[in-house]
Amino acid sequence: MGVVVVIAAYLQDCEVRGMSPRSLPGYKSALKDFSSYLNYIKTDIIDVDKNVLKSYLEHSRRRGLSQRSIELTFSVLSSYYEYLVYEGLVSSNPVPAIRKRYLRRYKDNGDPHERQLISVEDATRMIKGEPDIRNKAILILLFKTGMRRNELITLDVSDVDLIENRIRLKPTGKRTNRTLFMDDEAAYILRRWLRVREGVNRKKETALFISSWGNRISRNDVSQAVTNAAERVGLHNPQSERMEDRFSPHCCRHWFTTHLRRAGMRREFIQELRGDSRREAIDIYDHIDLKELKEAYMAAIPQLGI
């Protein structure tokens, strides 16, 4: 099968998976450029390994491409090789290892134990790549609300308001604010799960998320849902001892906080949504209006194109 045919088949697969049509020209351009490079060095696509990818990375930098452009190109290549693995054309995806070693951005303090922060695009890949609707709903709530794992586990169906797109958490010693919001993307996935849940909830469990046995999900259920989804798209290495190579449920909270900050949300609003402990008896957070908080949240929460 020729390279042009394979790329066309991959782009068609992207459409079937619901990728935005606006993204496809950029994907096609990146793959065309990579194919031209392989042709130049006389290497077949199935023979690409870490050395070929390193040389292509160096080639891209010599051409003066920006770091952002290179990162996007290697993201496309990773998705492309996932497709080739799925079709049985190659045995493994060689791209994630190169991305982690040469394209990972670390915080300025150089902390070797920094928790992994993924892009909005990678969060989208995790959720879209998850075939189980319950796990998909777990992922999108963790990303979109920043709630803790235990807070998600203790949720009941009655805690969710799909008219106002609000969630009311159970009281805990760690949390101050108990009201969280979700956008239409999260509400859409949650509605899909609730329809499925209605048909499988034979024990009449009140929990929002139930296990295959019909009971409230456990901490391990949540961890597996998150790590399996991350590993599926090359974002989690269970063999590594480094935090930056692993993706845990808390990384979703880290993602939530960081991307709200990058979107310009006020610091006190972010802290209110996170439910951080208040340091003073009378605090500025007491005066935050929920309507204003919801409006700020809706304006800042990243859209995943789900």
Side-chain angles (χ1 to χ4, degrees):
M1 189 182 295
V3 173
V4 175
V5 175
V6 175
I7 291 176
Y10 164 72
L11 294 175
Q12 184 178 15
D13 182 73
C14 289
E15 290 184 24
V16 172
R17 289 187 291 118
M19 183 176 291
S20 170
R22 291 177 296 179
S23 301
L24 297 181
Y27 274 49
K28 184 177 181 179
S29 176
L31 292 173
K32 183 179 178 181
D33 183 78
F34 182 63
S35 297
S36 296
Y37 178 74
L38 294 183
N39 185 57
Y40 173 73
I41 64 174
K42 295 180 172 54
T43 300
D44 193 273
I45 196 166
I46 64 173
D47 296 324
V48 169
D49 58 15
K50 64 181 181 181
N51 293 322
V52 172
L53 290 171
K54 282 173 61 178
S55 68
Y56 180 63
L57 175 62
E58 293 166 356
H59 170 74
S60 299
R61 286 174 172 160
R62 285 196 299 270
R63 290 164 57 200
L65 295 182
S66 68
Q67 180 71 8
R68 178 62 176 161
S69 295
I70 294 172
E71 289 173 357
L72 289 174
T73 295
F74 274 76
S75 177
V76 172
L77 291 179
S78 184
S79 175
Y80 181 53
Y81 271 90
E82 286 173 19
Y83 170 76
L84 297 181
V85 171
Y86 175 77
E87 291 293 331
L89 298 175
V90 298
S91 60
S92 63
N93 180 355
V95 183
I98 295 297
R99 291 179 73 194
K100 286 181 179 180
R101 187 167 185 84
Y102 298 105
L103 295 175
R104 174 70 54 78
R105 291 183 178 181
Y106 295 93
K107 290 206 172 177
D108 294 338
N109 60 14
D111 183 357
H113 302 296
E114 181 60 43
R115 198 176 297 277
Q116 184 177 176
L117 172 65
I118 65 172
S119 67
V120 173
E121 293 77 13
D122 280 336
T124 299
R125 291 196 304 123
M126 278 182 63
I127 295 172
K128 284 190 172 182
E130 173 54 60
D132 184 272
I133 186 58
R134 186 204 69 176
N135 292 346
K136 195 184 291 282
I138 287 172
L139 285 168
I140 201 164
L141 278 192
L142 289 174
F143 276 122
K144 292 282 191 171
T145 69
M147 69 175 68
R148 298 176 177 91
R149 176 171 49 179
N150 283 344
E151 292 169 343
L152 181 135
I153 290 169
T154 58
L155 284 177
D156 290 323
V157 173
S158 59
D159 296 323
V160 178
D161 182 347
L162 286 171
I163 296 176
E164 294 292 333
N165 281 4
R166 288 188 184 185
I167 296 174
R168 184 70 172 168
L169 300 177
K170 299 292 193 299
T172 67
K174 279 188 173 182
R175 177 169 281 275
T176 50
N177 169 50
R178 291 170 51 201
T179 300
L180 298 179
F181 306 104
M182 56 183 165
D183 62 5
D184 289 339
E185 287 186 326
Y188 167 72
I189 297 297
L190 197 53
R191 284 190 179 94
R192 286 180 55 194
W193 158 241
L194 286 172
R195 288 196 292 270
V196 172
R197 178 190 176 280
E198 187 176 354
V200 299
N201 186 23
R202 291 179 290 275
K203 293 185 178 180
K204 305 302 179 183
E205 173 64 64
T206 62
L208 176 61
F209 293 109
I210 56 178
S211 70
S212 57
W213 298 100
N215 304 315
R216 187 180 296 272
I217 58 171
S218 66
R219 288 174 58 86
N220 189 54
D221 290 328
V222 178
S223 291
Q224 285 190 338
V226 173
T227 57
N228 288 347
E231 188 174 2
R232 189 178 292 115
V233 296
L235 297 172
H236 175 73
N237 179 5
Q239 275 73 51
S240 177
E241 296 182 357
R242 303 194 315 164
M243 285 185 67
E244 60 266 34
D245 290 337
R246 290 171 166 267
F247 195 90
S248 66
H250 196 79
C251 291
C252 297
R253 184 168 165 86
H254 182 41
W255 182 94
F256 172 82
T257 304
T258 303
H259 288 290
L260 287 183
R261 188 180 71 242
R262 289 179 177 178
M265 179 178 275
R266 286 163 50 186
R267 179 183 177 86
E268 61 266 30
F269 278 10
I270 295 174
Q271 290 181 296
E272 181 76 356
L273 290 172
R274 283 174 51 88
D276 291 336
S277 297
R278 301 174 183 176
R279 296 191 177 117
E280 301 174 9
I282 298 175
D283 198 283
I284 185 173
Y285 308 131
D286 292 333
H287 306 292
I288 291 178
D289 179 74
L290 282 180
K291 183 175 182 293
E292 185 182 7
L293 183 62
K294 183 177 181 180
E295 289 174 352
Y297 166 83
M298 292 298 183
I301 193 69
Q303 295 301 292
L304 302 175
I306 304 299

